[in-house]
Amino acid sequence: MDSETSGFSDGMTGLSSADLRQITALTEAPSKLEPPLALLTGRGRHLDDATLLHLMTALFTGREEGSAELSHTLSTRFGSLAAVLSASSRELESITNMGTHMVPMIRLLQEAALRYNRARLPPEDVLDSEQKLLDYLTARLARENIEQFRILFLNEKNSLIADEAQARGTVNHTPVYPREVARRAVEVGASALVLVHNHPSGDPTPSEADLQMTMQVQAALDVVGVTIADHFIIGNGRHTSFRCSNLL
């Protein structure tokens, strides 16, 4: 990971106006939502990925015909329901017979999942439940196919002030500017930061560049009196905590 940067975003996935128009059109046509809702009946019934994906395709395309083939194609291409929900719009649009509504509805489900996991974070101290924090970070980053560097800005009680994506990079590095990180921390009034980035390879082992970048960011933060509470690297089903690994 290089020590350079490219500014901040609000950190949300975001739905375009075109996506919202397509979602509205689907929800305003109740007849398209009928098949096969019977799959959801039965208290406590467990639905596997294949069944849920089949249900999604039938609902979002508004047709039962062809939904089994489409769900099988998606499952074969991406491997799991979670991977489908995390796929990029470009990847999804490359699949034939997706119809008009599938991509924006998948984006909507992804956004809902992210907000659900964020809402589960402890309101007073996000570091108080590492598992809930990791659930949120994993939902946001684990299946990204390029490296992304994010920052969680915390107040003096370790409550979350903001979660922002600073930069998106390539498959193996993201540029980060330590001085920009420090400047943004001062702007939002943060007392501590949690640095987060993913390794698209799936292996969360820190590289030498990751270690150097972390030290450079901490040096810049020392000037403004802000600390790094932790640095997480998110892999595929695995993670590394710099704090727990005694790397901070």
Side-chain angles (χ1 to χ4, degrees):
M1 180 175 287
D2 295 338
S3 299
E4 320 219 356
T5 194
S6 64
F8 293 83
S9 74
D10 62 7
M12 302 307 294
T13 301
L15 293 167
S16 70
S17 57
D19 289 341
L20 293 174
R21 285 195 298 271
Q22 291 171 3
I23 290 167
T24 300
L26 179 59
T27 57
E28 287 179 349
S31 62
K32 293 184 178 181
L33 297 176
E34 292 174 1
L37 289 175
L39 290 172
L40 290 177
T41 60
R43 180 172 299 180
R45 180 174 179 176
H46 174 71
L47 301 180
D48 59 19
D49 272 17
T51 302
L52 283 172
L53 193 53
H54 180 199
L55 177 59
M56 281 174 49
T57 56
L59 292 175
F60 296 168
T61 61
R63 62 180 187 273
E64 173 66 17
E65 182 180 358
S67 61
E69 291 81 0
L70 177 56
S71 62
H72 177 73
T73 299
L74 290 168
S75 180
T76 301
R77 169 70 182 277
F78 297 105
S80 68
L81 177 60
V84 171
L85 295 179
S86 301
S88 69
S89 294
R90 178 175 297 181
E91 290 173 318
L92 292 170
E93 289 165 355
S94 70
I95 305 297
T96 58
N97 300 321
M98 285 289 279
T100 305
H101 304 294
M102 277 291 290
V103 175
M105 289 302 291
I106 289 173
R107 294 278 72 79
L108 181 65
L109 284 180
Q110 182 188 39
E111 183 70 18
L114 288 173
R115 295 193 184 201
Y116 168 75
N117 279 291
R118 178 165 176 162
R120 293 178 67 239
L121 293 175
E124 294 299 324
D125 183 353
V126 298
L127 302 176
D128 188 48
S129 175
E130 183 175 286
Q131 188 55 58
K132 289 180 179 179
L133 179 58
L134 286 170
D135 286 346
Y136 171 66
L137 297 176
T138 299
R140 184 171 285 286
L141 288 174
R143 299 185 184 277
E144 285 275 342
N145 55 17
I146 62 172
E147 197 168 293
Q148 182 181 146
F149 179 67
R150 304 190 68 86
I151 302 175
L152 276 60
F153 297 90
L154 311 180
N155 65 16
E156 66 280 355
K157 295 182 179 180
N158 287 333
S159 297
L160 184 64
I161 300 173
D163 166 22
E164 299 180 348
Q166 186 194 36
R168 292 169 65 89
T170 66
V171 294
N172 58 14
H173 81 277
T174 303
V176 178
Y177 282 124
R179 286 182 297 179
E180 286 296 310
V181 175
R183 179 187 62 79
R184 184 59 177 154
V186 172
E187 285 181 350
V188 301
S191 298
L193 308 181
V194 174
L195 309 181
V196 191
H197 78 279
N198 61 308
H199 280 181
S201 67
D203 181 1
T205 303
S207 66
E208 183 60 31
D210 293 333
L211 298 172
Q212 291 295 325
M213 179 275 294
T214 305
M215 290 189 294
Q216 291 166 4
V217 171
Q218 183 60 79
L221 291 172
D222 286 341
V223 177
V224 295
V226 178
T227 62
I228 297 177
D230 208 336
H231 183 171
F232 290 102
I233 300 178
I234 305 298
N236 187 7
R238 302 161 56 198
H239 76 279
T240 294
S241 161
F242 279 42
R243 180 69 63 188
C244 293
S245 302
N246 295 317
L247 297 173
L248 285 177

